[in-house]
Amino acid sequence: MLRTEGLTIRFGGLTALNNVNFQIGRGEIRAIIGPNGAGKSTFFNCVTGVLRPTSGRILLNGADITGLSPNLISRAGVARSYQITNILPNATTMENVRIAAQSRRHGWNMLRHYSSFRDIAEKAESVLASVGLAAKADELASNLSHGEQRNLEIGIALATEPQLLCLDEPTAGMSAAETHDTIQLVREIAKNLTILIVEHDMPLVMDLADRITVFHYGEILAEGPPAEIQNNPRVLEVYLKT
Ligand SMILES: Nc1ncnc2c1ncn2[C@@H]1O[C@H](COP(=O)(O)OP(=O)(O)OP(=O)(O)O)[C@@H](O)[C@H]1O
Ligand SMILES: [Mg+2]
């Protein structure tokens, strides 16, 4: 579904991604792990069009999406949540999701049609239910708990009807109970799409992911099923022991 070829990005003298050749198949849950500054978020930023790579290519279902705007990449079917919560605090929970659904479904000029309103409203409602926020639909997003805001962000991503969902530390700052619920949510939505997830909690990653890719200094250090990664001596040295 997604492939990168020689993906490289430099910030001045810093090579944040160096010749990354990455592949993920449809329906997979792939975890990306690695030390702070390894390039995990930068990888997501390149894949979702937030940053333009210095060189290399990004292919989605074989089509070259390198350098496209975030908006076009979203329309092509890639959504992401941010490491830092990225919602509209002064809009309601429902409005946050509805705006995302609109961006996917219709151009603004189509909104005058009653049927498209209903279409979007139904989509937004089903998304809110799937992320467990139906009861908070009319609450201002700023009034949600931290964990609810993070789940809302997943809802915003889902409302764009992605094929590939990139989650950057979705459980950051969550309590153990919230983390458990969010991972259950990820498992549930993974039934219908492909997931790339950056997550620091190792036991959780080992349990969730089909395969794990380990980034280190902007390069792929190792890749494989959890049991293999867990026992990879190079991975243990740079990451799992620290
Ligand atoms: N826009 C930018 N401009 C300059 N340097 C950047 C930019 N974005 C990231 N970097 C640098 O690129 C490197 C990779 O950063 P990145 O945020 O991708 O790491 P990460 O693996 O997500 O780390 P963490 O686990 O802390 O989130 C770091 O050295 C970072 O300082
Ligand atoms: Mg990061």
Side-chain angles (χ1 to χ4, degrees), residues 125-148:
E125 271 167 34
S126 80
V127 164
L128 279 191
S130 74
V131 298
L133 289 172
K136 301 281 172 103
D138 298 324
E139 192 72 63
L140 280 186
S142 57
N143 290 340
L144 299 178
S145 73
H146 174 75
E148 287 168 340

Side-chain angles (χ1 to χ4, degrees), residues 120-195:
I120 289 164
E122 276 170 10
K123 178 70 196 175
E125 271 167 34
S126 80
V127 164
L128 279 191
S130 74
V131 298
L133 289 172
K136 301 281 172 103
D138 298 324
E139 192 72 63
L140 280 186
S142 57
N143 290 340
L144 299 178
S145 73
H146 174 75
E148 287 168 340
Q149 289 184 351
R150 308 274 355 212
N151 290 346
L152 172 57
E153 230 206 316
I154 295 175
I156 290 169
L158 285 178
T160 66
E161 300 179 22
Q163 309 171 43
L164 173 66
L165 177 60
C166 303
L167 300 169
D168 198 351
E169 303 193 27
T171 67
M174 284 187 175
S175 69
E178 287 173 331
T179 297
H180 175 266
D181 289 351
T182 295
I183 292 303
Q184 275 311 112
L185 167 63
V186 172
R187 272 189 226 283
E188 200 54 41
I189 59 188
K191 290 173 185 163
N192 301 311
L193 42 75
T194 307
I195 295 200

Side-chain angles (χ1 to χ4, degrees), residues 94-114:
M94 174 62 85
E95 284 162 350
N96 266 277
V97 170
R98 201 160 52 201
I99 289 163
Q102 276 167 4
S103 78
R104 176 63 178 180
R105 291 258 172 134
H106 306 283
W108 288 101
N109 59 342
M110 290 272 301
L111 289 175
R112 289 188 203 102
H113 272 283
Y114 175 70

Side-chain angles (χ1 to χ4, degrees), residues 68-85:
L68 294 186
S69 69
N71 179 42
L72 285 177
I73 291 180
S74 164
R75 280 178 180 260
V78 180
R80 66 96 59 91
S81 76
Y82 285 83
Q83 190 167 355
I84 296 167
T85 305

